[in-house]
Amino acid sequence: MSPEGKKLLNIIILGFGFMFMFTAFQTCGNIEQTVIKSFNSTEFHGSGYTSMAIIYGVFSASNLIAPSVVAVIGPQLSMFFSGLLYSLYIAMFIYPYTWSFYTASVLVGIAAAVLWTAQGNVLTINSTDSTIGRNSGIFWALLQFSLFFGNLYIYCAWHGHVHITDKDRRTVFISLTVISLVGCFLFFLIRKPDSECSSSAEATEPLLQEESCDNTATSGVLTSAVLSAVRACKLFITKEMLLLGVSIGYTGLELTFYSGVYGTCIGAMMSFGQDAKSLIGISGICIGVGEILGGSVFGILNKRIGFGRNPIVLLGFITHIIAFYLIFLNIASDAPLAPEEGTDLEAFIAPSVGVALFCSFLLGLGDSCFNTQLLSIIGFMFHDNSAPAFAVFKFIQSIMAALAFYYSNYLLLHWQLLILVVVGFLGTITFFKVEHMANSSRRQSDYDSI
């Protein structure tokens, strides 16, 4: 197999590994608040929103050390051991206790930082400037298939159920745990690119060069670990990353909304009938369809159709504005905070399942527009420092997600939507500025090479 073919195969395996893991984890996050409300045990006093706030809060802090961990043990083992902790969190719901619930939340927060830093590292060293957009799209599309398969399973398992029994819960979470473990072991199929150790003149990843090319130099690896942490701090205060931080922060807020809050809102709408709980699964499928469509069209094909990044991000923002407006009209304002019995309040129009599911699709489509282009521009602008750059990316995204999960415990729906609109607008503007800087840098590079 050619070196380019091996790199593409690595990206596909990476995507499938994440697809299996997040089929389990994203489905877990989508249903956990609904599941917790249905617990028969009076000894459990956890909150799904609080758990997610802990996960993303610890995630954000752990991004400061994640590049060092990847430098010491390598991206492959980093993803494997992180995946095991994800599986542990999901398995906790089989026999849940409050202490184990929140302990697992902390561990997953640490694991997430290492996992996504390693993912960004693998994505970058298997890409060039000409393939980073394609590879980002392939990875994103495969990852988002997780929303389709996991939520389809939830719909089939819970169709017609008004209350989630202990048996229903255990069956679902045993299945999800096994699926997550399959994804962990797929990471061992990723192979080192042929060009990784060939020449220091090539734009390969310094972080992995030191580890893979000189395994005996332990002191050199530890030095690399320290340097990668320093690089992350330096990258954080660069003009480009500070501007991108607004866009990245918005993806954290809307990640919270579509992955946790919106599904809970749909499940709480009594006017949607007895199938409201199973509609959570259908909503997740619609989100997944939007994510896959966006990742495929705007990630894989953007190089051929020559759109560039700005129009795609603008489309993502407009798509989200339409979704937020329709949700505001269709979903009751107290839905995020409603008890298990749900809410009988209505918004400004007669509640429509079709509108609710259409909004799910728009949320997924808009999210894919933002994330594929952020992956692309970060991989382009910080190619030689990808692990620290993606660590900063996940630091900003996760701290905003943690903030959003925290205020989701208290804010009514319309206030949450207002925050999303304001931050989304600012994030779109700042992305345009960074894309202009990236284009200027590319033109200058082309001129210098003449």
Side-chain angles (χ1 to χ4, degrees), residues 289-445:
V289 171
E291 294 275 14
I292 294 164
L293 178 63
S296 300
V297 175
F298 301 124
I300 300 173
L301 300 180
N302 72 328
K303 201 72 179 178
R304 297 181 183 178
I305 56 183
F307 278 168
R309 299 185 185 98
N310 280 351
I312 299 174
V313 169
L314 179 60
L315 175 63
F317 177 63
I318 293 173
T319 301
H320 275 171
I321 289 295
I322 296 171
F324 297 152
Y325 180 66
L326 292 176
I327 291 169
F328 175 72
L329 295 178
N330 192 48
I331 303 294
S333 62
D334 67 335
L337 310 177
E340 186 194 2
E341 295 76 22
T343 176
D344 56 0
L345 296 180
E346 295 185 0
F348 297 93
I349 62 174
S352 167
V353 172
V355 171
L357 297 180
F358 178 63
C359 290
S360 299
F361 168 77
L362 293 179
L363 289 174
L365 180 61
D367 180 68
S368 69
C369 291
F370 273 94
N371 276 284
T372 55
Q373 303 316 301
L374 282 168
L375 287 172
S376 176
I377 197 170
I378 291 174
F380 170 76
M381 299 196 73
F382 305 101
H383 189 275
D384 293 336
N385 290 293
S386 67
F390 280 101
V392 173
F393 169 70
K394 284 298 175 181
F395 170 78
I396 299 170
Q397 186 181 64
S398 56
I399 201 168
M400 294 302 290
L403 175 64
F405 273 114
Y406 176 77
Y407 68 58
S408 296
N409 280 305
Y410 307 102
L411 293 184
L412 296 174
L413 180 61
H414 57 272
W415 292 116
Q416 296 190 40
L417 293 173
L418 178 61
I419 292 172
L420 287 166
V421 169
V422 172
V423 179
F425 174 76
L426 296 175
T428 302
I429 298 301
T430 55
F431 186 94
F432 287 175
K433 175 62 177 177
V434 178
E435 174 68 355
H436 175 72
M437 295 166 66
N439 288 333
S440 298
S441 174
R442 183 186 292 111
R443 286 194 295 268
Q444 182 63 38
S445 178

Side-chain angles (χ1 to χ4, degrees), residues 105-386:
S105 300
V106 173
L107 293 176
V108 168
I110 298 170
V114 176
L115 177 75
W116 284 102
T117 299
Q119 176 271 332
N121 204 166
V122 173
L123 177 67
T124 302
I125 65 172
N126 285 281
S127 303
T128 63
D129 289 349
S130 62
T131 62
I132 184 66
R134 180 202 66 185
N135 290 348
S136 297
I138 291 173
F139 170 78
W140 192 256
L142 287 172
L143 170 63
Q144 298 310 325
F145 267 107
S146 63
L147 287 168
F148 180 82
F149 295 120
N151 287 290
L152 180 61
Y153 172 60
I154 292 301
Y155 174 75
C156 295
W158 290 359
H159 183 64
H161 289 213
V162 178
H163 177 77
I164 309 304
T165 66
D166 289 344
K167 181 181 178 181
D168 294 334
R169 183 190 75 246
R170 290 185 185 122
T171 300
V172 165
F173 283 98
I174 288 173
S175 302
L176 294 180
T177 301
V178 172
I179 292 170
S180 179
L181 289 171
V182 171
C184 294
F185 285 95
L186 280 177
F187 294 136
F188 285 118
L189 298 178
I190 295 175
R191 292 291 175 260
K192 182 175 63 178
D194 290 339
S195 61
E196 190 171 344
C197 297
S198 61
S199 172
S200 59
E202 294 185 15
T204 52
E205 183 64 21
L207 184 63
L208 291 186
Q209 280 183 341
E210 292 188 30
E211 197 224 9
S212 59
C213 300
D214 193 9
N215 289 323
T216 60
T218 305
S219 60
V221 172
L222 294 177
T223 301
S224 177
V226 174
L227 289 175
S228 61
V230 173
R231 287 194 200 105
C233 295
K234 289 183 177 180
L235 285 176
F236 183 75
I237 59 175
T238 60
K239 181 179 180 180
E240 294 86 352
M241 190 60 77
L242 288 174
L243 287 170
L244 281 177
V246 184
S247 307
I248 296 168
Y250 172 66
T251 65
L253 296 181
E254 53 101 5
L255 167 67
T256 295
F257 186 76
Y258 81 74
S259 67
V261 176
Y262 189 56
T264 301
C265 291
I266 290 178
M269 292 294 289
M270 294 175 63
S271 54
F272 287 165
Q274 292 187 349
D275 282 343
K277 293 289 188 293
S278 63
L279 285 176
I280 298 174
I282 296 297
S283 171
I285 291 171
C286 292
I287 292 171
V289 171
E291 294 275 14
I292 294 164
L293 178 63
S296 300
V297 175
F298 301 124
I300 300 173
L301 300 180
N302 72 328
K303 201 72 179 178
R304 297 181 183 178
I305 56 183
F307 278 168
R309 299 185 185 98
N310 280 351
I312 299 174
V313 169
L314 179 60
L315 175 63
F317 177 63
I318 293 173
T319 301
H320 275 171
I321 289 295
I322 296 171
F324 297 152
Y325 180 66
L326 292 176
I327 291 169
F328 175 72
L329 295 178
N330 192 48
I331 303 294
S333 62
D334 67 335
L337 310 177
E340 186 194 2
E341 295 76 22
T343 176
D344 56 0
L345 296 180
E346 295 185 0
F348 297 93
I349 62 174
S352 167
V353 172
V355 171
L357 297 180
F358 178 63
C359 290
S360 299
F361 168 77
L362 293 179
L363 289 174
L365 180 61
D367 180 68
S368 69
C369 291
F370 273 94
N371 276 284
T372 55
Q373 303 316 301
L374 282 168
L375 287 172
S376 176
I377 197 170
I378 291 174
F380 170 76
M381 299 196 73
F382 305 101
H383 189 275
D384 293 336
N385 290 293
S386 67

